[in-house]
Amino acid sequence: MTNNALTEITIKNFKCFTDLHLEGFERVNLIGGKNNVGKTAFLEAVELNVSSSKANDLLHTIYQIMRRRQQNIRLIDMELDFITHLDKAVLISSNTNKCSVKYLEEGETPLQNTIFDKFDMDDHEKIESSSIIADPSLEFIVNENHRILPVERIFERRGYISLLSRRENNSLMKTNIISPTTSNEQDIAIFYGALVDLNKESFLNESLQLFDENIISLKQKATEKDIVLKIEIKDRKRPVLLSSLGDGINRFIAILCAIWASQDGFLLIDEIENGIHYTNYPKLWKIIFQASKDANCQLFITTHSKECIQAFNDANISNEGAYFEFYKNLKKNKITAHKRDKQQLDYALSNDRRVRGE
């Protein structure tokens, strides 16, 4: 792994985490545990940390995470669901980066020399300010870079965050996310475009043939409105729509393309097993370990499946993967986790010991 890879992270006051510290990450990291023990929240914390080189990056990524989480809620009804206690700052610190978010009540005084935004669609003014906060606000800090924004601006319909994202592009590592649901074909097409730029189409096609020997290749067809993905299959005169082959192929292609789209960066996969039959787990993990090495991509992946954990451990021949089990510590009433090396995990799986926090 490169110097930019995560080796440790500390998460405080973020969603279900009051104080979590993990270390010993490898190139491929698998997160297991029961429901509601913070697996998805952990991926979000990693996303915030590795995606943010400036306060604007942190602000934009938090907004995107809230939109993913609260996608069925009207913008004006969204909530700051990532802060556990408003009187305590969120902290996500790693070996490479330090991010924090602080809630400021009306009447509080921000830090000296903090950038305080007064934003209008026709006028964007930045002023150095140590004045009293007029409205409830959030202070975003990445290393030494600060920004304060009134909470109401985050949820307003005037598009502040959208305009902000156009003004400043993410300047840190390439980071991509694959959600638990079926990947949008347009997202896959974007991932595939990155793979084409790297001249890795043959890698994908060879991997698909391992997944299903009847598949020959993935093809793109441009239409007036968008890109349509098709699969060339043996004994078929014409390629068939990717969407006609089921969720398993869709997810398999999304994962493989996203690894190369995240070259020299990070890929986060939530519930990797969704849509993929357990008999294909060994093939999937074998390809993931090799592709992540070739693309120099660090992966953080969650699962509920014991069969998926077993296949991961079997494929982790060179100890380039790490398994972390999340669970709720009833005595301390907080979410915690611990790392199991290959030998410990193999013993637990072989002897039907607790895996996934059961």
Side-chain angles (χ1 to χ4, degrees):
M1 296 189 296
T2 67
N3 292 333
N4 293 315
L6 253 64
T7 59
E8 62 178 299
I9 194 168
T10 298
I11 306 169
K12 295 184 178 182
N13 196 35
F14 178 77
K15 292 199 169 179
C16 59
F17 301 116
T18 54
D19 188 357
L20 176 73
H21 176 77
L22 287 179
E23 58 187 33
F25 298 129
E26 302 292 346
R27 192 177 65 251
V28 181
N29 302 279
L30 184 61
I31 311 299
K34 285 184 176 181
N35 288 328
N36 300 317
V37 292
K39 297 187 298 297
T40 298
F42 176 76
L43 292 188
E44 292 172 347
V46 170
E47 179 185 359
L48 288 171
N49 188 267
V50 301
S51 298
S52 304
S53 63
K54 295 181 179 179
N56 277 355
D57 300 331
L58 180 60
L59 165 58
H60 182 253
T61 305
I62 283 176
Y63 176 78
Q64 293 299 327
I65 288 175
M66 288 194 299
R67 290 297 288 164
R68 288 203 303 264
R69 282 279 201 175
Q70 305 176 41
Q71 58 182 323
N72 296 321
I73 299 175
R74 294 184 307 165
L75 190 62
I76 58 173
D77 294 326
M78 287 174 62
E79 298 180 354
L80 299 175
D81 65 349
F82 64 93
I83 300 179
T84 305
H85 302 286
L86 291 179
D87 59 336
K88 298 179 181 178
V90 171
L91 173 67
I92 306 173
S93 179
S94 71
N95 54 296
T96 62
N97 210 20
K98 183 177 181 180
C99 307
S100 65
V101 182
K102 183 179 180 182
Y103 182 83
L104 300 175
E105 293 278 8
E106 180 180 348
E108 284 195 59
T109 302
L111 297 174
Q112 288 282 349
N113 300 322
T114 295
I115 297 298
F116 182 47
D117 275 336
K118 287 185 175 180
F119 182 81
D120 188 275
M121 293 301 287
D122 300 318
D123 179 34
H124 184 219
E125 178 188 2
K126 293 180 180 179
I127 60 173
E128 298 290 339
S129 173
S130 58
S131 59
I132 294 175
I133 296 295
D135 301 293
S137 300
L138 291 178
E139 182 177 24
F140 301 87
I141 307 173
V142 177
N143 300 321
E144 301 301 322
N145 185 252
H146 298 240
R147 177 173 287 257
I148 289 179
L149 184 69
V151 172
E152 65 178 14
R153 293 296 176 93
I154 298 176
F155 303 123
E156 66 183 9
R157 295 182 179 276
R158 303 178 68 193
Y160 178 86
I161 307 298
S162 297
L163 186 58
L164 177 65
S165 65
R166 292 196 296 269
R167 289 174 180 267
E168 287 195 42
N169 295 322
N170 184 350
S171 55
L172 204 60
M173 305 297 295
K174 287 186 292 186
T175 307
N176 288 300
I177 302 97
I178 296 180
S179 70
T181 57
T182 301
S183 297
N184 183 290
E185 278 202 29
Q186 293 308 303
D187 291 336
I188 298 177
I190 293 171
F191 290 151
Y192 183 69
L195 186 141
V196 170
D197 286 342
L198 294 168
N199 198 27
K200 292 294 180 179
E201 301 101 307
S202 60
F203 153 77
L204 177 62
N205 294 332
E206 290 168 3
S207 300
L208 286 173
Q209 288 159 19
L210 289 175
F211 190 84
D212 186 335
E213 62 182 13
N214 292 314
I215 295 177
I216 298 175
S217 65
L218 175 69
K219 295 180 177 293
Q220 283 187 332
K221 178 183 177 180
T223 68
E224 292 182 359
K225 294 183 178 180
D226 50 28
I227 298 293
V228 176
L229 296 176
K230 292 193 169 187
I231 296 289
E232 185 181 5
I233 299 178
K234 291 179 181 178
D235 302 325
R236 294 283 189 96
K237 291 183 178 181
R238 295 183 179 180
V240 300
L241 290 171
L242 171 60
S243 57
S244 69
L245 295 182
D247 293 343
I249 287 291
N250 178 295
R251 194 159 183 81
F252 189 75
I253 291 173
I255 290 169
L256 300 187
C257 290
I259 289 175
W260 281 102
S262 310
Q263 185 178 28
D264 299 324
F266 303 88
L267 177 61
L268 314 176
I269 307 173
D270 203 0
E271 297 181 20
I272 188 172
E273 71 275 11
N274 286 0
I276 298 178
H277 195 268
Y278 74 92
T279 57
N280 285 315
Y281 294 162
K283 301 174 187 177
L284 176 64
W285 282 116
K286 181 179 179 181
I287 295 170
I288 284 177
F289 272 100
Q290 186 59 54
S292 63
K293 182 177 181 179
D294 294 342
N296 189 35
C297 173
Q298 189 174 24
L299 279 72
F300 291 86
I301 304 167
T302 71
T303 185
H304 289 106
S305 166
K306 186 174 181 179
E307 293 82 5
C308 191
I309 297 170
Q310 179 71 69
F312 163 85
N313 205 45
D314 292 342
N316 188 20
I317 298 173
S318 301
N319 286 315
E320 294 174 316
Y323 175 72
F324 295 85
E325 188 165 316
F326 280 55
Y327 59 95
K328 187 168 184 177
N329 187 318
L330 297 178
K331 291 183 179 180
K332 296 183 179 180
N333 192 31
K334 70 175 186 178
I335 302 297
T336 188
H338 68 267
K339 179 181 179 180
R340 291 191 178 186
D341 62 29
K342 181 175 174 61
Q343 290 72 29
Q344 292 171 332
L345 184 55
D346 184 62
Y347 179 82
L349 291 165
S350 300
N351 292 275
D352 200 27
R353 296 297 181 91
R354 189 186 72 182
V355 177
R356 294 175 293 176
E358 296 175 352

